[in-house]
């Protein structure tokens, strides 16, 4: 989804130099990146990692499928609806940009 949004939202960048303002968000982006890296590092250090080795011959995909369709059914369905809404939103944004571009060319 991230790649889809990146392609759809950045395809017009570079055509008109007065529309680009990437330098305005650089300090906020750097601060957010530093905060994210610090949080992930703290979580990785303080996480209770399992020490016992996992037996390699046990079937994992079957247990994962059963877990998705029993214990985690609601979060699984919510995630699928959110991803579907994001995909529809990306299509709407792309169609709006194409329509605006074609309207300005025709006039």
């Amino acid at each position: 989804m991230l790649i889809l949004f990146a392609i759809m939202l950045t395809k017009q960048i570079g055509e008109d130099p007065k529309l680009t303002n990437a330098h305005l968000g650089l300090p906020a982006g750097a601060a957010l990146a530093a905060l994210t890296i610090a949080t992930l590092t703290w979580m990785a250090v303080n996480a209770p990692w399992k020490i016992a080795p996992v037996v390699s011959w046990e079937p994992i995909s079957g247990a994962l499928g059963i877990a998705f369709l029993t214990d985690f059914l609601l979060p699984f369905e919510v995630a699928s609806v959110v991803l579907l809404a994001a995909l529809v939103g990306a299509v709407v944004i792309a169609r709006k940009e194409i329509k605006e571009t074609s309207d300005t060319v025709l006039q």
Side-chain angles (χ1 to χ4, degrees):
M1 289 308 293
L2 182 62
I3 293 172
L4 179 68
F5 276 115
I7 291 171
M8 297 185 106
L9 294 176
T10 60
K11 67 180 182 179
Q12 300 293 331
I13 292 179
E15 292 182 7
D16 192 5
K18 59 187 168 196
L19 294 178
T20 60
N21 58 358
H23 66 282
L24 295 177
L26 188 61
L32 185 62
L35 180 68
T36 302
I37 291 171
T39 302
L40 289 175
T41 303
W42 181 81
M43 289 177 67
V45 168
N46 293 327
W49 298 100
K50 286 188 176 183
I51 305 297
V54 176
V55 180
S56 62
W57 63 81
E58 290 182 9
I60 302 225
S61 60
L64 184 63
I66 290 171
F68 273 151
L69 296 176
T70 56
D71 298 334
F72 300 104
L73 181 63
L74 184 62
F76 183 69
E77 290 299 324
V78 168
S80 67
V81 169
V82 168
L83 289 174
L84 177 65
L87 183 62
V88 170
V91 170
V92 167
I93 290 171
R95 289 188 60 132
K96 186 171 132 182
E97 288 178 3
I98 291 171
K99 184 177 180 182
E100 288 175 358
T101 305
S102 65
D103 287 344
T104 57
V105 170
L106 294 174
Q107 292 177 356

